[in-house]
Amino acid sequence: MGWLNNWTTPRSLRWRIWRHARKGNPLGYAAMTQRLDTILHGLEQADQHEALQRAIEALSAFYGVDHMVYHWVSSSGEQYGCGTYDDVWVERYLEKQYLRVDPVITGCYQRFHPVDWKRLDWSSKAARAFQKDAIEHGVGNQGFSIPIRGPNGQFALFSLSHNCTDDEWDAFTETNRRDLILVAHYFNKKALDLEPGRTPEPSQPLSPREIDAMTLLAVGYNRAQVAETLSISEHTLRVYIESARFKLGAMNTTHAVARALARGLIVV
Amino acid sequence: MIRYIYANDLKHEPQLRDSMFRDRADQFKARLGWEVNVDADGYERDEYDALNPLYVIWQKPCGSHGGSMRLLPTTGRTMVNDHFKDITGGVHIESPLIWECTRFCLSRDAAPGAAAALMLAGGEVMNGFGLRHYVGVFDARMVRIYRMIGAEPDVLGTTGKGRDAISVGLWEFTPESQAKVAERAGLSPSVSRDWFEAAFGAATPQAQHRAA
């Protein structure tokens, strides 16, 4: 796992630059909880890394979790990150080279399934010591991580952590995991767009079929009517809508229709 | 038993790996006559095997491969988006909640419940990771088997004829179809769950901590 050893000083400085930006932000952490679609709109409009920091703080507040953290690594081993961890903990993580023992990293790298931290292997002495230290630094006893595979070997991890009982955490993740998986991917899309010197990936356009489906939904057809009109099964329609909502960066069908209208992709 | 193994971990399972890729050569090249590549080791491997997919494998008691399928998220490169967009109505299917299932394969001596066990495992993955759908590419004649085991896909379309017929279809799993598939597989849901947890970890109770 080459990149585990590549958390170099310039990267940690980069992390700090993102975090410092937040201190000058008048809409700081104490700001009221924003609506999720407002947060996602802000994320989509972001043209600087500072906006990612603001978005992750707002997302953390929206979901009511102690922490949210995003970090990524490019194929050349470069790493970036932002999140709500205390600076002291970030420094300590780097200094102690916890990347080498953190079961979240070893459990997620090169994979693509979301992981509840309590299913990871914390049995080694080093992992247990790391966990104790993390908890003492306010990371929380519970966590959930979503690995993301980007283009050209890019790998990113979107994590939430919190202090609560197992039952509370299970209920939270069961309710929110699909939304969080989508949010994690939207976050990564934006982080990729902001990579210095990189031309943003052209987002996959909606196909005529998807545009037809979204248009019929926008004019008030229900799913059965849309499926019948397009001569496809409702199951197929659900897959097309799921796919369209992801391309539109939306959380649900209503949100997806609104975004398609706002972007002029559909006209009713 | 069912194993869930990412490609980069197959090196720890040489017998399972060798027999899986050779059974795939036997099924897709020898029996179905698909235009697939078989390498010097007798493996049928393609470019998607190089993307570190997750393999769901029915392992026989002797340790060899009895059946398998290959999973990849549709947020990355997939066979259906690269080659079968004419069947999907031109739609590029893309969502972290939709995974692609390809290379569904059974060895010649697969146990009667192997196909159902693999579909049951597909349901475990779906429930365990919050997926909504699978999109699959499969031998058109498999539809009859899928129907028999209670996991019939919604077929979007088929290309080719006879032996060469390849279909694209969609799956979602209702609790009812899960129960039917478990029955066909001759497996209790708890055994299936145990195999999933053997691969992805069982939940260890966490002590709650008060902030210092």
Side-chain angles (χ1 to χ4, degrees), chain B residues 151-209:
Chain B
E152 190 176 1
D154 198 348
V155 178
L156 288 183
T158 302
T159 178
K161 287 204 165 67
R163 254 178 22 144
D164 287 335
I166 297 173
S167 294
V168 174
L170 306 170
W171 279 275
E172 15 179 49
F173 281 112
T174 61
E176 302 79 62
S177 76
Q178 286 272 88
K180 189 176 174 196
V181 172
E183 195 188 313
R184 291 287 178 169
L187 292 170
S188 77
S190 72
V191 166
S192 172
R193 188 70 206 163
D194 286 349
W195 290 339
F196 185 79
E197 293 195 338
F200 298 111
T204 312
Q206 301 294 298
Q208 202 183 348
H209 297 260

Side-chain angles (χ1 to χ4, degrees), chain B residues 62-85:
Chain B
C62 67
S64 287
H65 169 264
S68 57
M69 56 193 184
R70 178 177 70 184
L71 305 179
L72 277 169
T74 59
T75 45
R77 282 194 51 215
T78 59
M79 194 179 251
V80 69
N81 287 331
D82 288 349
H83 300 289
F84 296 99
K85 284 229 308 237

Side-chain angles (χ1 to χ4, degrees), chain A residues 112-116 119 144-147 172-182 185 242 245, chain B residues 54 71 73 95-99 121-134 171-173 178 193 196 200:
Chain A
F112 48 78
H113 66 275
V115 171
D116 189 310
R119 293 185 183 277
F144 189 75
S145 289
I146 298 153
F172 172 80
T173 54
E174 178 62 29
T175 305
N176 295 297
R177 61 182 177 165
R178 291 191 179 95
D179 284 0
L180 291 166
I181 290 168
L182 291 172
H185 283 79
E242 186 70 63
R245 113 169 137 155
Chain B
L54 174 63
L71 305 179
S95 165
L97 306 180
I98 306 172
W99 287 8
E124 293 287 357
V125 168
M126 197 169 248
N127 291 333
F129 302 144
L131 306 184
R132 292 269 188 216
H133 309 271
Y134 287 118
W171 279 275
E172 15 179 49
F173 281 112
Q178 286 272 88
R193 188 70 206 163
F196 185 79
F200 298 111

Side-chain angles (χ1 to χ4, degrees), chain A residues 2-33:
Chain A
W3 70 275
L4 299 189
N5 304 321
N6 273 322
W7 192 287
T8 56
T9 309
R11 294 312 133 213
S12 70
L13 282 177
R14 200 184 299 253
W15 181 293
R16 290 181 58 83
I17 288 163
W18 287 22
R19 289 195 48 91
H20 282 162
R22 131 183 173 202
K23 290 178 182 158
N25 168 21
L27 299 170
Y29 196 59
M32 64 177 180
T33 305

